[in-house]
Amino acid sequence: MKEGPKVAVLHDGTRPDAQLMRPVTMRAEVRYTVADGLAEALRGADVLFVDDFRTTAIPAAWFAADRLSWLHVGATGVDAVLFDELIASDVIVTNTRGVFDSAIAEYVLAQILNFAKDLPESLRLQREHIWRHRESERIADASVLIVGTGSIGRATARLLRAVGMRVRGLGRRAREDDPDFGTVATDLYAELPAADYVVAVAPLTPQTRNMFDSRAFTNFTPHARFINVGRGESVVTDDLVTALRTGLLAGAALDVVDPEPLPHGHALWDLPNVHLTPHNSGDFAGWRREITAAFAANFRKWIDGRPLDNVVDKRLGYVPA
């Protein structure tokens, strides 16, 4: 009798939904583990499902990956699992591209409205029982630069265009007449002065690490707001704090920061023009189930020998469009 495949599942203490995993457990031996047991679970495993996508355990356990052919990440960003040995190997890497797109796009719109309508001040006045008439900004016809033209950036562009905002994209290749962005440019510094809002959704790569530094913030218009739902490491945090304090930009909404979690006493906690959330812009109710379902669907393709969805270019660090 032919031995079936073995699947290691690295989780954070909460196992994937058993019912949704049935297409996998019916056709493979599944080994659930947390970080401490990863090396043992990897020995002889054909597949690794990384359901703990904040893990740092994979490089140390890689020596035990003696039969691995496919690694699936339960997230869109794969920078946490890409290291030299994995990149150089024949192991296919896939991600969960598409699951979080709409939720993150909605978060971006919510933060834009939060700035434009100054909802924090309205809540403060309500708490203090102050009835004060105020004017607010309109977002229709405001300009948005979306840095990162992958599936999340495209979902965001479509939503913001639907409410009347003027959207441009920034990517690796220039394009005209793009269906979602209109125009995709490549020169960050040339695009920043015309943007009322700058939305960072790009994956973390050598090209995007620290791309928002003092030079970039100098090119922002002073009334602009910066929204980061990509990676905290794309920003030089000290330069962002300086830009906010000196008026180089009007505000920032940060779902990701560097370092993360943000240390107690860090300046970003108390700056009045900063909105902070704990890396949860895509975490809608039911997101864990969606991740598991996406892996199970890709597993069916893998077991049947069909092409996998969302194959990552390990050299680029993301799924090419």
Short mmCIF file of all heavy atoms in Angstrom, two decimals, residues 107-132:
data_model
loop_
_atom_site.label_atom_id
_atom_site.label_comp_id
_atom_site.label_asym_id
_atom_site.label_seq_id
_atom_site.Cartn_x
_atom_site.Cartn_y
_atom_site.Cartn_z
N TYR A 107 -10.71 49.14 5.60
CA TYR A 107 -9.96 49.81 6.67
C TYR A 107 -9.34 51.11 6.17
O TYR A 107 -9.40 52.15 6.85
CB TYR A 107 -8.87 48.86 7.19
CG TYR A 107 -7.91 49.49 8.17
CD1 TYR A 107 -8.11 49.35 9.54
CD2 TYR A 107 -6.79 50.19 7.74
CE1 TYR A 107 -7.22 49.91 10.46
CE2 TYR A 107 -5.90 50.76 8.64
CZ TYR A 107 -6.12 50.61 10.00
OH TYR A 107 -5.24 51.18 10.89
N VAL A 108 -8.75 51.07 4.98
CA VAL A 108 -8.14 52.28 4.41
C VAL A 108 -9.19 53.37 4.22
O VAL A 108 -8.98 54.54 4.60
CB VAL A 108 -7.44 51.96 3.08
CG1 VAL A 108 -6.99 53.25 2.38
CG2 VAL A 108 -6.23 51.05 3.32
N LEU A 109 -10.34 53.01 3.66
CA LEU A 109 -11.41 54.00 3.49
C LEU A 109 -11.86 54.54 4.84
O LEU A 109 -12.09 55.76 4.98
CB LEU A 109 -12.58 53.37 2.75
CG LEU A 109 -13.82 54.27 2.58
CD1 LEU A 109 -13.47 55.56 1.84
CD2 LEU A 109 -14.93 53.50 1.86
N ALA A 110 -11.97 53.67 5.83
CA ALA A 110 -12.39 54.12 7.16
C ALA A 110 -11.40 55.13 7.74
O ALA A 110 -11.81 56.14 8.34
CB ALA A 110 -12.53 52.92 8.10
N GLN A 111 -10.11 54.89 7.56
CA GLN A 111 -9.12 55.83 8.09
C GLN A 111 -9.12 57.14 7.33
O GLN A 111 -8.92 58.21 7.92
CB GLN A 111 -7.73 55.19 8.07
CG GLN A 111 -7.54 54.06 9.08
CD GLN A 111 -7.49 54.55 10.52
OE1 GLN A 111 -7.76 55.71 10.82
NE2 GLN A 111 -7.16 53.65 11.43
N ILE A 112 -9.35 57.09 6.03
CA ILE A 112 -9.46 58.33 5.26
C ILE A 112 -10.65 59.15 5.77
O ILE A 112 -10.54 60.37 5.99
CB ILE A 112 -9.59 58.01 3.76
CG1 ILE A 112 -8.25 57.49 3.22
CG2 ILE A 112 -10.03 59.25 2.97
CD1 ILE A 112 -8.30 56.99 1.79
N LEU A 113 -11.78 58.50 5.97
CA LEU A 113 -12.95 59.20 6.50
C LEU A 113 -12.70 59.68 7.93
O LEU A 113 -13.17 60.76 8.33
CB LEU A 113 -14.17 58.27 6.47
CG LEU A 113 -14.75 58.01 5.08
CD1 LEU A 113 -15.73 56.85 5.12
CD2 LEU A 113 -15.41 59.26 4.52
N ASN A 114 -11.96 58.92 8.70
CA ASN A 114 -11.62 59.31 10.06
C ASN A 114 -10.86 60.62 10.08
O ASN A 114 -11.12 61.51 10.90
CB ASN A 114 -10.79 58.19 10.70
CG ASN A 114 -10.86 58.19 12.21
OD1 ASN A 114 -11.77 58.76 12.81
ND2 ASN A 114 -9.89 57.55 12.84
N PHE A 115 -9.90 60.74 9.14
CA PHE A 115 -9.16 62.00 9.03
C PHE A 115 -10.05 63.12 8.50
O PHE A 115 -10.08 64.23 9.05
CB PHE A 115 -7.96 61.83 8.09
CG PHE A 115 -6.78 61.15 8.71
CD1 PHE A 115 -6.25 60.00 8.15
CD2 PHE A 115 -6.17 61.66 9.85
CE1 PHE A 115 -5.15 59.36 8.71
CE2 PHE A 115 -5.07 61.04 10.43
CZ PHE A 115 -4.55 59.89 9.85
N ALA A 116 -10.76 62.85 7.41
CA ALA A 116 -11.52 63.91 6.74
C ALA A 116 -12.64 64.46 7.62
O ALA A 116 -12.93 65.66 7.61
CB ALA A 116 -12.09 63.39 5.42
N LYS A 117 -13.29 63.59 8.38
CA LYS A 117 -14.42 64.01 9.21
C LYS A 117 -14.01 64.24 10.67
O LYS A 117 -14.84 64.63 11.49
CB LYS A 117 -15.54 62.97 9.15
CG LYS A 117 -16.00 62.64 7.73
CD LYS A 117 -16.36 63.89 6.93
CE LYS A 117 -16.71 63.58 5.49
NZ LYS A 117 -16.95 64.81 4.69
N ASP A 118 -12.73 64.00 10.99
CA ASP A 118 -12.18 64.23 12.33
C ASP A 118 -13.07 63.59 13.40
O ASP A 118 -13.49 64.24 14.37
CB ASP A 118 -12.01 65.71 12.60
CG ASP A 118 -11.07 65.97 13.79
OD1 ASP A 118 -10.46 65.00 14.27
OD2 ASP A 118 -10.97 67.13 14.22
N LEU A 119 -13.33 62.31 13.23
CA LEU A 119 -14.19 61.60 14.17
C LEU A 119 -13.62 61.54 15.59
O LEU A 119 -14.39 61.61 16.56
CB LEU A 119 -14.48 60.19 13.65
CG LEU A 119 -15.21 60.15 12.29
CD1 LEU A 119 -15.44 58.71 11.86
CD2 LEU A 119 -16.52 60.91 12.36
N PRO A 120 -12.30 61.42 15.78
CA PRO A 120 -11.80 61.45 17.16
C PRO A 120 -12.18 62.72 17.92
O PRO A 120 -12.53 62.67 19.10
CB PRO A 120 -10.28 61.33 16.98
CG PRO A 120 -10.12 60.59 15.69
CD PRO A 120 -11.23 61.11 14.82
N GLU A 121 -12.13 63.87 17.24
CA GLU A 121 -12.51 65.12 17.91
C GLU A 121 -14.00 65.15 18.21
O GLU A 121 -14.42 65.64 19.28
CB GLU A 121 -12.11 66.31 17.03
CG GLU A 121 -12.51 67.67 17.60
CD GLU A 121 -11.79 68.04 18.88
OE1 GLU A 121 -10.89 67.28 19.32
OE2 GLU A 121 -12.11 69.10 19.46
N SER A 122 -14.82 64.62 17.32
CA SER A 122 -16.26 64.55 17.59
C SER A 122 -16.54 63.70 18.82
O SER A 122 -17.39 64.06 19.66
CB SER A 122 -17.00 63.98 16.38
OG SER A 122 -16.88 64.84 15.26
N LEU A 123 -15.84 62.59 18.95
CA LEU A 123 -16.03 61.73 20.12
C LEU A 123 -15.55 62.42 21.39
O LEU A 123 -16.16 62.30 22.45
CB LEU A 123 -15.30 60.41 19.92
CG LEU A 123 -15.86 59.50 18.82
CD1 LEU A 123 -14.94 58.31 18.58
CD2 LEU A 123 -17.26 59.01 19.18
N ARG A 124 -14.44 63.16 21.29
CA ARG A 124 -13.95 63.90 22.46
C ARG A 124 -14.97 64.94 22.92
O ARG A 124 -15.26 65.06 24.12
CB ARG A 124 -12.62 64.58 22.13
CG ARG A 124 -11.98 65.27 23.35
CD ARG A 124 -10.82 66.14 22.94
NE ARG A 124 -11.23 67.31 22.18
CZ ARG A 124 -11.72 68.43 22.76
NH1 ARG A 124 -11.88 68.51 24.07
NH2 ARG A 124 -12.07 69.45 22.00
N LEU A 125 -15.53 65.69 21.97
CA LEU A 125 -16.52 66.69 22.31
C LEU A 125 -17.77 66.06 22.92
O LEU A 125 -18.36 66.61 23.86
CB LEU A 125 -16.89 67.50 21.07
CG LEU A 125 -15.77 68.39 20.50
CD1 LEU A 125 -16.19 68.98 19.16
CD2 LEU A 125 -15.41 69.50 21.48
N GLN A 126 -18.18 64.91 22.41
CA GLN A 126 -19.33 64.22 22.98
C GLN A 126 -19.06 63.81 24.42
O GLN A 126 -19.92 63.98 25.30
CB GLN A 126 -19.68 62.99 22.15
CG GLN A 126 -20.88 62.21 22.70
CD GLN A 126 -21.16 60.95 21.90
OE1 GLN A 126 -20.66 60.80 20.79
NE2 GLN A 126 -21.94 60.06 22.46
N ARG A 127 -17.87 63.25 24.68
CA ARG A 127 -17.54 62.84 26.05
C ARG A 127 -17.58 64.02 27.01
O ARG A 127 -17.95 63.87 28.19
CB ARG A 127 -16.16 62.18 26.07
CG ARG A 127 -16.12 60.77 25.54
CD ARG A 127 -14.82 60.08 25.89
NE ARG A 127 -13.65 60.78 25.35
CZ ARG A 127 -13.11 60.54 24.17
NH1 ARG A 127 -13.63 59.60 23.39
NH2 ARG A 127 -12.05 61.20 23.78
N GLU A 128 -17.20 65.21 26.51
CA GLU A 128 -17.18 66.40 27.36
C GLU A 128 -18.48 67.20 27.29
O GLU A 128 -18.58 68.28 27.85
CB GLU A 128 -15.99 67.28 26.95
CG GLU A 128 -14.64 66.59 27.15
CD GLU A 128 -13.46 67.47 26.78
OE1 GLU A 128 -13.67 68.69 26.58
OE2 GLU A 128 -12.34 66.94 26.68
N HIS A 129 -19.49 66.63 26.60
CA HIS A 129 -20.82 67.26 26.50
C HIS A 129 -20.74 68.67 25.91
O HIS A 129 -21.39 69.60 26.38
CB HIS A 129 -21.50 67.29 27.88
CG HIS A 129 -21.73 65.94 28.46
ND1 HIS A 129 -22.43 65.74 29.62
CD2 HIS A 129 -21.37 64.70 28.04
CE1 HIS A 129 -22.48 64.45 29.90
NE2 HIS A 129 -21.84 63.80 28.95
N ILE A 130 -19.92 68.79 24.86
CA ILE A 130 -19.76 70.07 24.19
C ILE A 130 -20.44 70.02 22.82
O ILE A 130 -20.11 69.16 21.99
CB ILE A 130 -18.28 70.43 24.02
CG1 ILE A 130 -17.60 70.57 25.39
CG2 ILE A 130 -18.11 71.72 23.20
CD1 ILE A 130 -16.09 70.74 25.32
N TRP A 131 -21.37 70.93 22.57
CA TRP A 131 -22.06 71.03 21.28
C TRP A 131 -21.39 72.14 20.49
O TRP A 131 -21.61 73.31 20.75
CB TRP A 131 -23.55 71.33 21.52
CG TRP A 131 -24.38 71.26 20.27
CD1 TRP A 131 -24.58 72.25 19.36
CD2 TRP A 131 -25.12 70.14 19.81
NE1 TRP A 131 -25.39 71.82 18.36
CE2 TRP A 131 -25.76 70.51 18.61
CE3 TRP A 131 -25.32 68.84 20.30
CZ2 TRP A 131 -26.57 69.66 17.89
CZ3 TRP A 131 -26.13 67.99 19.58
CH2 TRP A 131 -26.75 68.39 18.39
N ARG A 132 -20.54 71.75 19.54
CA ARG A 132 -19.76 72.73 18.80
C ARG A 132 -19.84 72.42 17.31
O ARG A 132 -19.42 71.35 16.87
CB ARG A 132 -18.31 72.72 19.25
CG ARG A 132 -17.41 73.71 18.49
CD ARG A 132 -15.96 73.58 18.93
NE ARG A 132 -15.83 73.90 20.34
CZ ARG A 132 -14.80 73.53 21.09
NH1 ARG A 132 -13.83 72.80 20.55
NH2 ARG A 132 -14.74 73.86 22.37
#
